Amino acid sequence: MKCPFCGHLDSRVIESRTTEEMTAVRRRRECPNCRRRFTTYERIEEQPLVVVKKDGSREAFSRQKILSGMLKACEKRPIALKVLEQASFSIEKAARDTGKGEVTSTQIGELVMEKLKEIDDVAYVRFASVYREFRDVDSFRHEVERILSEKGQRQE
Ligand SMILES: [Zn+2]
C-alpha cells in the first residue's frame, strides 16, 4: 500500500480489524520510510479468506458452510436460525481479524465449538463428536459426562 505522504511503495500493517458491518477491513499502517501513519479501508470482497485444510489443501472460506455445519448439529433443537447466523458472522469476523487472510480448518472448528458451547450443549456434543473424531465410545462418553457435570454445577 503506497504511502500518501511520501509515495513510498511499501507500508507496514500495525492493526487490522473488520468493521462491524463486515463490509470492510480497516488497517492502520505505518510507512517505513517517513514513519507517518495512515488508515486504509479495504472492501472485504477484495480480501479473500482462505481455509487451510489438514492435508495442506486450500479452499475459499464459506460462511454458508459453517452455518450448515451448525444447523446440522442443531437439528431438532430449539435454536433460532438467527442465533446461528449471528454466530457464523462472529466466526467469520474472528477468522478475518487474524489479519493473515488464511485460517486453518482446525481454528475454524475450534471457533465453531466455542460458539456452539454457548448456544446449546447437545449441539456442541454432536459437533464435537464429528469434529474431534472421537475414536471410541469411551472418549465420547467422557466428553458428554464432563459437559453434563459442568451443567449440573451451574444449576446448583
Ligand atoms: Zn511515507
Side-chain angles (χ1 to χ4, degrees):
M1 191 64 65
K2 197 172 158 183
C3 170
F5 302 106
C6 72
H8 190 75
L9 288 176
D10 192 23
S11 61
R12 193 168 66 88
V13 176
I14 303 161
E15 194 192 299
S16 178
R17 64 175 66 215
T18 315
T19 56
E20 284 308 315
E21 319 81 62
M22 300 290 303
T23 52
V25 179
R26 176 190 182 275
R27 291 214 164 92
R28 236 1 232 159
R29 295 173 180 270
E30 187 184 82
C31 173
N33 185 43
C34 69
R35 297 274 158 203
R36 277 189 268 199
R37 293 185 174 188
F38 57 102
T39 303
T40 56
Y41 289 88
E42 289 151 54
R43 290 186 57 77
I44 271 176
E45 286 80 359
E46 293 159 13
Q47 290 289 323
L49 182 60
V50 172
V51 179
V52 184
K53 298 205 275 191
K54 277 176 188 158
D55 64 3
S57 66
R58 284 158 163 77
E59 63 176 30
F61 175 88
S62 161
R63 194 178 57 81
Q64 197 54 47
K65 202 171 165 184
I66 284 174
L67 184 59
S68 9
M70 289 196 291
L71 277 170
K72 206 170 168 189
C74 292
E75 206 172 54
K76 291 179 182 162
R77 300 294 300 160
I79 298 145
L81 179 60
K82 201 170 165 47
V83 171
L84 297 179
E85 273 174 344
Q86 276 165 354
S88 72
F89 272 118
S90 81
I91 289 164
E92 178 171 6
K93 189 176 185 310
R96 287 192 182 281
D97 282 348
T98 61
K100 295 182 202 127
E102 270 192 0
V103 279
T104 63
S105 54
T106 309
Q107 285 174 299
I108 297 278
E110 296 292 333
L111 288 168
V112 173
M113 282 199 284
E114 225 170 84
K115 279 287 154 195
L116 284 179
K117 207 171 184 178
E118 292 166 17
I119 296 168
D120 187 79
D121 291 335
V122 173
Y124 166 70
V125 172
R126 279 183 193 155
F127 185 87
S129 69
V130 176
Y131 177 74
R132 289 212 169 124
E133 296 166 1
F134 290 131
R135 288 201 184 88
D136 50 65
V137 177
D138 277 348
S139 59
F140 180 68
R141 193 169 55 213
H142 181 76
E143 183 75 2
V144 174
E145 278 165 3
R146 195 180 59 77
I147 289 161
L148 290 179
S149 82
E150 273 178 16
K151 199 179 176 153
Q153 281 160 9
R154 249 184 281 150
Q155 282 166 345
E156 273 162 23

